[in-house]
Amino acid sequence: MNIAIRRPTLGPDATAFLAKEHKILIDGKWVAAQSGQTFAVEDPATQEVIGHVPAGDKADIDLAVKAARRAFESGPWARMTPRDRSRLVWKLGDLLEQHADELAELEALDNGKPVTNARKDDVQGSIDMFHYMAGWSTRLNGETITVSKSDGNWHAYTLREPVGVVGQIIPWNFPLMMAAWKLAPALAAGCTIVLKPAEQTPLSALRFGELIVEAGFPAGVVNIVTGFGETAGAALSEHPDVDKVAFTGSTEVGKLIVKAAAGNLKRVSLELGGKSPAIVFPDADLDVAIAGTADAIFYNQGQCCTAGSRLFAHKSIYDKVVEGVAAEAKKVRIGHGLDPKVNLGPLVSKEQHDRVTGFLESGRKEGAEVVTGGKVHGNQGYFVEPTVLAKTNRDMRVVRNEIFGPVVCVQAYDDDDLDAVAKFANDTEYGLQASIWTRNLKVAHLLARKIKAGTICINTHNFGDPAWPFGGYKQSGWGREMGKEVMEHYTEVKSVAAKLV
Ligand code: NAP
Ligand code: MG
């Protein structure tokens, strides 16, 4: 099909930002990469170049880490009261809110995602994250400890201290929100940061950096270095003066991060891939389950680590579910993310487009039935049709691997025993999320206990809330982000014992 994709007009603020010469943020100053190199940023819907950003590498990471170390050890940030830190974190949330429409436009342009989703989810989620995490600054207490076996008089207690200089490496699927998930708790805890955005989507992080400076964070507290994973990312994860690295991205790179971190045994947290099951029981409200499981996979073009990519429907309702999800797929309006009527944009890059179309080809070869979709959309940009693959089974590549595109693999099941259901849900190396669709509360909560995943959704999918801990079992990661749990990532516990002599 020959479909011309035109870029809708941007608002004046996003236009002004795009026209700038982009720099990286080190020690409170906007600078070029030491090498002077830049790389192009592309609109994935039109394949037009929309800007160039510095290709930061080891030299820039070294400078950024030095600045972060200085800001951590001395100066206003190190002395700041929790109350004042909390105020700054809250203020950054307010600034995001003031610039929400501009940020949503930049996100839609750079990543391809629908601008309406960018505004209500990515940008709003980031605002909410800062406002929620601001509260933690003033609540990071140690404990007094009653010693258990030591004679005499003791005063024993713990202190909770910021972990130090943190390297944060984030992906392209939710560029601004991933920056917010990482920055907000680390700042609330009093850490200093070097952030490396994904090469495909650096723009919103750079605009965010301007707001960080405007909010009044002292120089060096947040440093933002755009660049490639193999150079800037690798330098950050192996840096001997970085105390902790927080990573979101592929499981493959997650394993590289672990190896790189071994040099100085820096703390590591990982939020990696998934192949999440959505399980529809015969008693489910099928209207809710069909709309919900379709959204679980087509939302954000399927580029969600939690995407409901393995759909299990009981055989008594299998045909209805397959037809229903296919009908939802056909309703999807594909186009440029900046068009407010669009609800499915392009994939983020040519690499991702090739990956997803490769999986479509392999699914066909392995005997999956293409109920709807299965093709690229148009001849420009990285669009792929929302696709339903039926008659899939556990051995197919499309079922085993994270596709990271709008492609759902449906399987029928005929077991009523919950252990059997949990067994096929758990038949994956991942364990990030699962959704259970039923009206039977006992079934829902018993199955929730049997599934090996960090997050379980009942009659919904892709749920998220700043107060709700999020992370993976198995190869989906280490540790939990958000909620109270994330503070474990960004603090160390120090135990003090005094003998009262
Ligand atoms: P990726 O390579 O894991 O990228 C994530 C981040 O890690 C990016 O900032 C990347 O930089 C950086 N990176 C890459 N190699 C590195 C290294 N050796 N050391 C340190 N940092 C490094 O993911 P991708 O290549 O963009 O996507 C590949 C697949 O990963 C996707 O198809 C999908 O299956 C999965 N993925 C999962 C998530 C998730 O949220 N769980 C998010 C994105 C992708 P560059 O941008 O320069 O590569
Ligand atoms: Mg990569």
Side-chain angles (χ1 to χ4, degrees), residues 310-379:
R310 289 183 300 140
L311 174 56
F312 295 97
H314 190 271
K315 75 165 193 288
S316 60
I317 50 160
Y318 174 82
D319 289 340
K320 265 197 191 142
V321 170
V322 170
E323 274 164 34
V325 174
E328 293 289 323
K330 286 179 193 141
K331 278 194 236 163
V332 162
R333 286 183 304 268
I334 305 179
H336 198 292
L338 280 170
D339 177 346
K341 290 188 297 297
V342 158
N343 41 32
L344 194 102
L347 298 176
V348 76
S349 64
K350 176 168 190 314
E351 189 185 351
Q352 204 57 24
H353 193 252
D354 291 348
R355 175 185 172 97
V356 174
T357 51
F359 274 115
L360 291 174
E361 187 55 37
S362 116
R364 240 183 239 113
K365 276 199 190 126
E366 288 182 307
E369 178 197 343
V370 183
V371 181
T372 186
K375 298 190 296 298
V376 304
H377 171 86
N379 54 1

Side-chain angles (χ1 to χ4, degrees), residues 169-173 178 196-200 227-230 233-234 237 247-251 253-254 256-257 271-274 304-305 351-352 355 402-404 432:
I169 303 175
I170 56 172
W172 43 258
N173 53 345
M178 289 299 104
K196 194 209 82 73
E199 67 187 67
Q200 296 86 350
F228 300 113
E230 295 71 17
S237 52
F247 171 79
T248 297
S250 60
T251 294
V253 174
L256 296 177
I257 301 280
E271 202 270 277
L272 308 176
C304 296
C305 47
E351 189 185 351
Q352 204 57 24
R355 175 185 172 97
E402 182 174 50
I403 297 176
F404 232 60
L432 194 56

